[in-house]
Amino acid sequence: MVRYSSRTRMSLCMGILLVLLFFFMKKEAEAEYMKYKDAKQPLEVRITDLMNRMTLEEKIGQMTQIERKVASKEVMKKYFIGSLLSGGGSAPSANASAETWVNMVNEFQEGALSTRLGIPMIYGIDAVHGHNNVYNATIFPHNIGLGASRDPELVKRIGAATALELRATGIPYTFAPSIAVCRDPRWGRCYESYSEDHNIVQEMTELIPGLQGDVPENYPIDFPYVSTERTKVVGCAKHFVGDGGTVNGIDENNTVINFNGLNSIHMPAYLDSIRKGVSTVMISYSSWNGVKMHANYDLVTGVLKKKLKFKGFVISDWEAIDRITSPPGANYTYSVQVSVNAGIDMIMVPFNYGEFIDDLTLLVKKNIVPMSRINDAVRRILRVKFLMGLFENPLADYSLVNQLGSQEHRELAREAVRKSLVLLKNGKDMNEPLLPLPKRAEKILVAGSHAHNIGYQCGGWTIEWRGGSGNITRGTTILEAVKSTVDPLTEVVYNDSPDSEFVESDNFSYAIVVVGETPYAEYYGDNMYLTLPESGVNTIKNVCGKLKCVVVIISGRPLVIEPYLETMDAVVAAWLPGSEGQGVADVLFGNFGFTGKLPRTWFKSVDQLPMNVGDSHYDPLFPFGHGLTTLPNELKAAL
């Protein structure tokens, strides 16, 4: 028998222990290798590997989007929540800084990353005309104004700027663009539509590569694309489909049209969006021929997913599945069943997530919602998350905070305002135009409720869901812009609602009257009359006719102006120009010329509605495409 010394025995034991330790460490390392965490693995391999590891609970969590108000790190971890959002006006605090937003998003993200598989959540927000929920962001003109610009390249640059401001606050996903084709201005969301003409809407889908980045050459056709550069964000084409064609323009109502009509008017921009790599599509609250879109398998799965080959994820609108029934939520389990089976992948719950998760789990266990449908939804959601690089870079930092409301973006917004203005009338006599206005005058009157009100300029979806009044965010009012543009010796007098006596008592050279609609959003904006508010009518009556006047209309759509048109020397449709009112003064005073064209028909009377270009009863006050032009002062002087 060989005898070993105690020291030798100890050395042998240590050696054996080290071998065993190495063996177990090697096995553990092999076991810990997860293909889905390896960015070098092919996309679909990563998705499949992750899905094979996921429980039903984790998969349904990915399909759940909840409002930040009911979220916490604990909720994210417990329910495996796949997405968060800020609804209109939902912010971490009043006037929150970019840093505050970043900190909030990261805190929620840390909760998601602490789950068993560490799947990052994606945070979404309605940045529909700039990063409009956030104080100090650049607010661009609403889509109707951009449609008047006829400038897709401008819209693409706006998309890129908006993406930077989103990333400045740590948010990688916006529910934009709206590619609705508004066929009736009585609709409260008409300003979210670029035009009544689907061709213009199709052109303006250039916002998508602005947000997400240009699809590379030889990239798979009809496949979602998001640049992994942290200057880009996920976009969302909405609202599929026909939301702009509801009867009488009633929001969330019924679009009555045959499939050929739906396909030729409301569908084309979705084809363009998918070709440009749009990553998500949001479903409309509205119905098509009596069938709720959120329950419409034939259109969501049959057309969008199968015929158009859309491979990103489909998301519901806010509490939209509740509204499948009347009254909303009357049979929530049924609503969950039909919406998920219709092909909706992510549900914007946004509050009662426990009920949604429980109901969907039960429906799957009872084979009422097939597991194949769950897997399709989760695969699509993970596809977008992997494509955008969210697994590699789930947390935001402060490197882009200076992009929020930057001067460069404000200059871009100012350019957009200039290009969106439509000159409807210029002079009672064509040979004596009023515009451009002279900068040097003894005294000018600026009047109207909208002349000195950032909230009114911006309209709905600004800081709050329905917008607001006053200095709700940083910007330049039209009054401030006028004062900074005219000659230093010119006296500018402001009166928001002057009476006739005031107008006649002073020796004004001319007047600028700025009136229009007060802010609204969605169904709050449905309006069967489309008249100017009484205060605006009174201001026009008290000023125009007594002074040479230009009336600047701030609105989300054409309004009834025919009864007052004769008294106005000049009329400008300024739409909802946003935070940079200086763009209005730039054109009024001739630093730039008027170039905008009507993106929709300006009717005489609401009795004519709906009325769109090409209709047999077409008899407009100003036709689609109308827009007088002026030369900039520099060019006029050179001629």
Side-chain angles (χ1 to χ4, degrees), residues 362-487:
L362 184 64
L363 288 165
V364 174
K365 288 181 176 178
K366 288 186 173 182
N367 294 319
I368 296 170
V369 173
M371 196 64 208
S372 59
R373 175 74 273 277
I374 300 299
N375 287 336
D376 173 59
V378 176
R379 178 170 289 274
R380 289 166 176 274
I381 293 164
L382 294 177
R383 181 177 290 139
V384 172
K385 289 184 176 184
F386 277 119
L387 280 170
M388 66 184 291
L390 195 60
F391 280 78
E392 286 66 53
N393 293 295
L395 295 171
D397 57 37
Y398 302 147
S399 61
L400 293 172
V401 294
N402 64 340
Q403 294 292 329
L404 186 70
S406 71
Q407 191 56 40
E408 182 181 356
H409 295 165
R410 292 186 184 278
E411 288 300 323
L412 175 60
R414 182 175 169 180
E415 177 188 347
V417 173
R418 292 195 295 261
K419 291 181 174 179
S420 70
L421 302 177
V422 179
L423 182 56
L424 300 176
K425 178 182 178 180
N426 191 14
K428 292 179 180 177
D429 185 331
M430 289 180 61
N431 297 317
E432 294 183 20
L434 179 64
L435 299 175
L437 297 168
K439 296 178 185 178
R440 180 172 292 181
E442 187 174 334
K443 185 188 295 186
I444 63 175
L445 172 64
V446 177
S449 53
H450 289 57
H452 192 45
N453 194 311
I454 290 289
Y456 284 6
Q457 273 177 214
C458 293
W461 292 108
T462 311
I463 305 302
E464 298 291 339
W465 171 45
R466 291 160 62 185
S469 177
N471 296 324
I472 61 172
T473 192
R474 183 180 155 214
T476 302
T477 68
I478 293 170
L479 173 65
E480 291 167 338
V482 169
K483 288 181 175 179
S484 69
T485 304
V486 297
D487 187 272

Side-chain angles (χ1 to χ4, degrees), residues 21-39:
L21 182 62
F22 174 79
F23 175 78
F24 284 118
M25 285 178 67
K26 184 172 182 291
K27 284 291 184 183
E28 189 176 355
E30 288 173 353
E32 281 185 354
Y33 173 69
M34 299 179 181
K35 287 182 179 178
Y36 79 89
K37 291 187 176 181
D38 185 352

Side-chain angles (χ1 to χ4, degrees), residues 97-135:
S97 66
E99 291 87 347
T100 300
W101 280 92
V102 168
N103 293 339
M104 177 196 70
V105 174
N106 279 349
E107 183 177 354
F108 292 133
Q109 188 67 282
E110 286 164 3
L113 296 175
S114 69
T115 56
R116 182 178 71 94
L117 295 171
I119 304 173
M121 66 87 185
I122 182 170
Y123 199 107
I125 198 167
D126 285 283
V128 296
H129 63 139
H131 198 5
N132 45 260
N133 251 31
V134 177
Y135 183 80

Side-chain angles (χ1 to χ4, degrees), residues 425-428 434-435 437 445 509-513 539-552 564-572:
K425 178 182 178 180
N426 191 14
K428 292 179 180 177
L434 179 64
L435 299 175
L437 297 168
L445 172 64
S509 304
Y510 57 83
I512 301 170
V513 176
T539 300
I540 291 170
K541 287 179 177 178
N542 291 339
V543 176
C544 297
K546 300 175 180 66
L547 294 175
K548 283 190 177 297
C549 76
V550 53
V551 176
V552 179
Y564 330 111
L565 189 59
E566 193 175 330
T567 66
M568 306 174 190
D569 293 277
V571 186
V572 176

Side-chain angles (χ1 to χ4, degrees), residues 63-293:
M63 297 172 67
T64 309
Q65 184 181 66
I66 68 174
E67 225 286 338
R68 53 157 290 280
K69 292 176 183 176
V70 295
S72 66
K73 289 176 74 171
E74 293 71 27
V75 167
M76 302 301 293
K77 183 175 182 179
K78 181 178 179 181
Y79 294 97
F80 310 102
I81 299 298
S83 183
L84 290 182
L85 84 152
S86 281
S90 179
S93 60
N95 300 347
S97 66
E99 291 87 347
T100 300
W101 280 92
V102 168
N103 293 339
M104 177 196 70
V105 174
N106 279 349
E107 183 177 354
F108 292 133
Q109 188 67 282
E110 286 164 3
L113 296 175
S114 69
T115 56
R116 182 178 71 94
L117 295 171
I119 304 173
M121 66 87 185
I122 182 170
Y123 199 107
I125 198 167
D126 285 283
V128 296
H129 63 139
H131 198 5
N132 45 260
N133 251 31
V134 177
Y135 183 80
N136 200 38
T138 309
I139 308 299
F140 294 93
H142 267 297
N143 286 357
I144 190 169
L146 299 181
S149 77
R150 301 292 203 277
D151 191 339
E153 188 270 338
L154 169 70
V155 170
K156 183 178 181 180
R157 287 188 284 138
I158 288 171
T162 302
L164 282 170
E165 299 209 12
L166 280 157
R167 286 291 192 173
T169 58
I171 297 175
Y173 178 23
T174 174
F175 309 123
S178 167
I179 53 173
V181 183
C182 176
R183 303 291 285 176
D184 193 325
R186 292 174 292 186
W187 185 37
R189 304 192 78 153
C190 201
Y191 63 76
E192 297 183 55
S193 168
Y194 293 106
S195 179
E196 70 187 46
D197 180 357
H198 69 83
N199 292 293
I200 292 174
V201 178
Q202 288 177 260
E203 290 176 1
M204 298 307 170
T205 57
E206 277 299 287
L207 190 85
I208 292 165
L211 292 168
Q212 298 190 158
D214 288 307
V215 176
E217 288 185 25
N218 303 319
Y219 192 78
I221 296 172
D222 304 332
F223 204 77
Y225 175 77
V226 192
S227 171
T228 54
E229 292 180 22
R230 298 181 73 180
T231 57
K232 297 298 181 183
V233 298
V234 170
C236 180
K238 66 181 189 183
H239 306 85
F240 188 85
V241 58
D243 52 341
T246 56
V247 174
N248 296 328
I250 298 171
D251 193 37
E252 304 183 19
N253 207 255
N254 191 24
T255 298
V256 179
I257 192 171
N258 62 27
F259 182 76
N260 286 339
L262 188 77
N263 200 41
S264 62
I265 296 172
H266 300 283
M267 198 73 76
Y270 286 95
L271 280 161
D272 291 84
S273 298
I274 293 167
R275 287 168 184 157
K276 292 175 182 179
V278 74
S279 297
T280 73
V281 170
M282 185 181 288
I283 303 303
S284 174
Y285 284 121
S286 59
S287 303
W288 177 52
N289 294 335
V291 179
K292 289 279 188 180
M293 275 305 309

